[in-house]
């Protein structure tokens, strides 16, 4: 049995009947959303406006995160490598390890990861580090030229993290409002058989993050309340600070990502959701890309998700059999890597959100000419990816594919019937009894005589034959 994606959504996939609805976009401009069976379609022009509402590519999570990593590394080199005050992390004899600047160091180092995965946390972190940098620069006698350059780089990193995070959060709200405007006022319960994700999504990351932070707290406590050295200088806890810094940044990032994923899953399952008819196209790397529809070849991929087996349920509902889809109605199977297929998207398509997609698949049994269409449901968090690598596509010849499928089905059925006729013929006309029992008699005689010979044994008998 093989399952194939169906190009067009059968009527049974849509949640309920409805009429055209009027909605108001985020700009206050009324736009008409056409609907099929009560679910709004996504006009390509509105989807293109949604795509343009995203932040510029230079502020995308991956690009912005790497840019911040470069700035933070440059600040490290200037402040702790080239500055004459780099050894002053121990603040001088008798003062021990510097703890006052340690929180700012943690927040500065965490900016690249937080910007990429937890942007709402990068905003207050950037403000805290920027205030500390300004206060340090206000004391010109305490810093040399490399340190001054280092703090200026820190301010640049804070400006990028603060501005980029604010723009990303604003873009999310903007895209959600545009998606809600396209979906109209109707809200729908999630389809039958939807995999529940709010019970597990993000939990492992939350627990891992908490565990790392607890270990870091234990290590830093040991460094903070350590015994003085033999020379009388206060305890040197730079090693504990370094380990704690790594653990705190990793733990906080895991915890933040887990909380965001859990909240997105909880919002999706907590109440009825808006719905849109969209197109979905599979990439060679396993990512699936949501498009405005499955018919417009100029519709650009908008946002990606990765379907997982644990979050996908097949055969949730029977949508039709051989009489439900025929030549010319669009209910033919396709290769999703070559062209998109239609799906109903429940939820809001925006970075960091989670959605449910329901689409149709056809299953063809080995010895059947026609298959059956079933609904398949996938729950997936959306990714902030930009590069899709998908080229232009051409629609498949549905009637030709279906005729080929029917021809192959008839040939398989004919071969199956031929094999059954041959088996029935062998049952009705078994081979003669003598030809089938002679070998069995010899075998039984040999077994009875323990390998010895009787009066009817042939020339293979040994000296115990007694034939004289």
């Amino acid at each position: 049995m093989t399952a194939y994606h169906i190009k067009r959504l059968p009527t049974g996939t849509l949640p309920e009947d409805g009429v055209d609805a009027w909605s108001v976009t985020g700009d206050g401009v009324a736009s008409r959303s056409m609907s099929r069976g009560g679910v709004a379609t996504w006009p390509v022009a509105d989807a293109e406006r949604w795509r343009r509402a995203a932040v510029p590519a230079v502020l995308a999570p991956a690009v912005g995160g790497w840019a911040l990593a470069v700035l933070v590394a440059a600040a490290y080199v200037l402040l702790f490598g080239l500055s004459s005050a780099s050894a002053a992390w121990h603040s001088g004899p008798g003062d021990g390890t510097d703890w006052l600047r340690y929180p700012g160091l943690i927040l500065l180092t965490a900016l690249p990861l937080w910007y990429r995965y937890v942007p709402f946390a990068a905003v207050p972190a950037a403000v805290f580090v920027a205030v500390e940098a300004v206060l340090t620069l206000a004391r010109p006698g305490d810093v040399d030229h490399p340190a001054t350059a280092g703090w200026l780089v820190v301010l640049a990193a804070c400006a990028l993290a603060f501005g980029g995070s604010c723009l990303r959060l604003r873009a999310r709200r903007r895209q959600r409002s545009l998606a809600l405007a396209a979906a109209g006022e109707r809200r729908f319960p999630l389809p039958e058989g939807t995999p529940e994700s709010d019970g597990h999504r993000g939990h492992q990351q939350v627990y891992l993050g908490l565990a790392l932070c607890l270990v870091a707290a234990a290590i830093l406590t040991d460094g903070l309340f350590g015994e003085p050295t033999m020379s009388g200088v206060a305890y040197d806890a730079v090693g504990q600070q370094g380990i704690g810094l790594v653990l705190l940044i990793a733990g906080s990032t895991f915890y933040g990502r887990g909380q965001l994923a859990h909240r997105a899953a909880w919002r999706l399952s907590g109440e009825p959701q808006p719905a849109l008819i969209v197109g979905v196209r599979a990439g060679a790397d396993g990512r699936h890309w949501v498009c405005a529809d499955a018919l417009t070849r100029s519709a650009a991929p908008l946002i990606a998700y990765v379907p997982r087996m644990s979050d996908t349920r097949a055969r949730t509902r029977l949508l039709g059999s051989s009489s439900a889809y025929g030549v010319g109605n669009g209910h033919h199977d396709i290769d999703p890597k070559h062209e998109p297929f239609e799906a109903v998207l429940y939820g809001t398509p925006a970075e960091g959100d989670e959605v449910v997609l329901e689409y149709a698949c056809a299953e063809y049994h080995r010895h059947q000419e026609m298959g059956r269409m079933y609904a398949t449901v996938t729950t997936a968090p959306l990714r902030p990816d930009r590069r899709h690598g998908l080229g232009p596509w051409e629609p498949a010849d549905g009637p030709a594919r279906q005729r080929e499928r029917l021809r192959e089905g008839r040939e398989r059925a004919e071969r199956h019937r031929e094999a059954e006729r041959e088996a029935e013929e062998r049952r009705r006309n078994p081979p003669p009894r003598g030809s089938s029992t002679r070998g069995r008699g010899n075998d039984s005689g040999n077994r009875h005589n323990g390998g010895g010979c009787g009066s009817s044994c042939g020339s293979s008998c040994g000296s115990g034959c007694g034939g004289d």
Side-chain angles (χ1 to χ4, degrees):
M1 183 176 60
T2 307
Y4 299 88
H5 290 81
I6 295 299
K7 178 68 176 180
R8 299 296 304 274
L9 282 170
T11 305
T13 315
L14 305 177
E16 65 179 18
D17 294 333
V19 295
D20 295 351
W22 288 83
S23 60
V24 179
T25 66
D27 293 334
V29 179
S31 64
R32 193 179 189 185
S33 300
M34 301 301 295
S35 64
R36 282 174 47 195
V39 182
T41 60
W42 203 357
V44 177
D46 292 349
E48 184 63 20
R49 184 193 300 177
W50 180 96
R51 189 180 65 84
R52 291 196 302 267
V55 295
V58 294
L59 296 178
V63 178
W66 281 110
L68 281 172
V70 172
L71 291 175
V72 170
Y76 262 80
V77 172
L78 292 170
L79 292 174
F80 304 112
L82 301 180
S83 174
S84 60
S86 60
W89 191 257
H90 296 280
S91 299
D95 293 336
T97 302
D98 187 352
W99 289 98
L100 294 178
R101 290 187 291 169
Y102 188 61
L105 184 66
I106 294 175
L107 297 178
L108 172 64
T109 311
L111 282 181
L113 285 176
W114 287 3
Y115 179 84
R116 182 166 183 173
Y117 299 112
V118 199
F120 75 91
V123 174
V127 172
F128 183 92
V129 176
V131 170
E132 185 181 50
V134 170
L135 293 177
T136 303
L137 289 173
R139 300 189 299 268
D142 296 341
V143 293
D144 54 11
H145 293 295
T148 301
W151 287 115
L152 291 177
V153 173
V154 169
L155 287 176
C158 293
L160 175 60
F162 179 84
S165 297
C166 290
L167 288 177
R168 284 180 58 196
L169 295 175
R170 179 180 179 275
R172 288 184 181 184
R173 293 192 296 270
R174 173 76 175 135
Q175 288 182 327
R176 289 192 185 105
S177 65
L178 290 174
L180 290 174
E185 298 297 329
R186 291 181 177 271
R187 300 294 181 264
F188 305 92
L190 298 182
E192 179 184 355
T194 298
E196 296 181 359
S197 59
D198 59 325
H200 65 86
R201 187 83 73 203
H203 289 188
Q204 293 182 350
Q205 293 175 323
V206 168
Y207 297 145
L208 176 59
L210 289 176
L212 293 176
C213 290
L214 288 176
V215 173
I219 293 175
L220 292 176
T221 301
D222 177 71
L224 185 61
F225 297 101
E227 300 265 341
T229 60
M230 295 297 295
S231 61
V233 179
Y235 188 68
D236 183 1
V238 173
Q240 286 92 332
Q241 284 185 338
I243 297 174
L245 181 143
V246 173
L247 293 177
L248 283 175
I249 293 174
S252 60
T253 303
F254 279 120
Y255 178 82
R257 290 191 68 187
Q259 281 287 1
L260 291 177
H262 174 68
R263 288 179 61 85
W266 178 79
R267 287 195 304 267
L268 181 67
S269 61
E271 57 186 6
Q273 296 294 322
L276 285 170
I277 297 177
V278 299
V280 179
R281 187 176 175 188
D285 56 0
R287 293 179 299 173
H288 285 51
W289 290 85
V290 176
C291 310
D293 59 49
L295 302 178
T296 306
R297 281 177 281 177
S298 60
L302 302 175
I303 197 165
Y305 69 94
V306 176
R308 298 179 180 178
M309 294 296 297
S310 59
D311 293 329
T312 301
R313 297 289 184 274
R315 300 167 61 94
T316 58
R317 287 183 293 140
L318 176 64
L319 301 176
S321 58
S322 59
S323 60
Y325 55 101
V327 176
N329 64 1
H331 299 162
H332 57 272
D333 59 90
I334 63 166
D335 183 355
K337 293 183 179 180
H338 292 165
E339 64 175 299
F341 59 89
E342 278 189 345
V344 179
L345 185 147
Y346 296 85
T348 52
E351 174 192 339
D353 286 354
E354 186 168 309
V355 297
V356 170
L357 293 110
E358 186 179 29
Y359 47 94
C361 290
E363 293 184 350
Y364 299 92
H365 293 265
R366 181 176 300 176
H367 305 302
Q368 292 181 348
E369 289 187 2
M370 300 293 291
R372 293 184 177 183
M373 284 193 299
Y374 293 94
T376 301
V377 184
T378 296
T379 304
L382 298 176
R383 300 164 57 94
D385 301 341
R386 296 294 186 94
R387 297 184 177 181
H388 50 81
L390 300 176
W393 59 273
E394 294 292 335
D397 188 348
R401 286 179 63 91
Q402 195 159 10
R403 287 193 298 269
E404 181 66 18
R405 182 75 62 193
L406 293 175
R407 183 188 63 80
E408 293 177 355
R410 287 192 294 268
E411 291 179 354
R412 286 195 301 267
E414 182 61 31
R415 289 193 298 268
H416 180 64
R417 287 191 293 267
E418 183 65 25
E420 287 184 340
R421 284 195 295 267
E422 292 178 358
E424 182 66 22
E425 186 66 23
R426 286 195 296 270
R427 286 195 296 269
R428 291 180 177 179
N429 301 311
R433 183 177 297 275
S435 61
S436 61
T437 58
R438 183 177 299 131
R440 292 196 298 269
N442 291 339
D443 292 341
S444 60
N446 291 337
R447 287 194 298 269
H448 176 73
N449 294 325
C453 44
S455 59
S456 61
C457 62
S459 59
S460 60
C461 298
S463 57
C465 184
D468 47 46

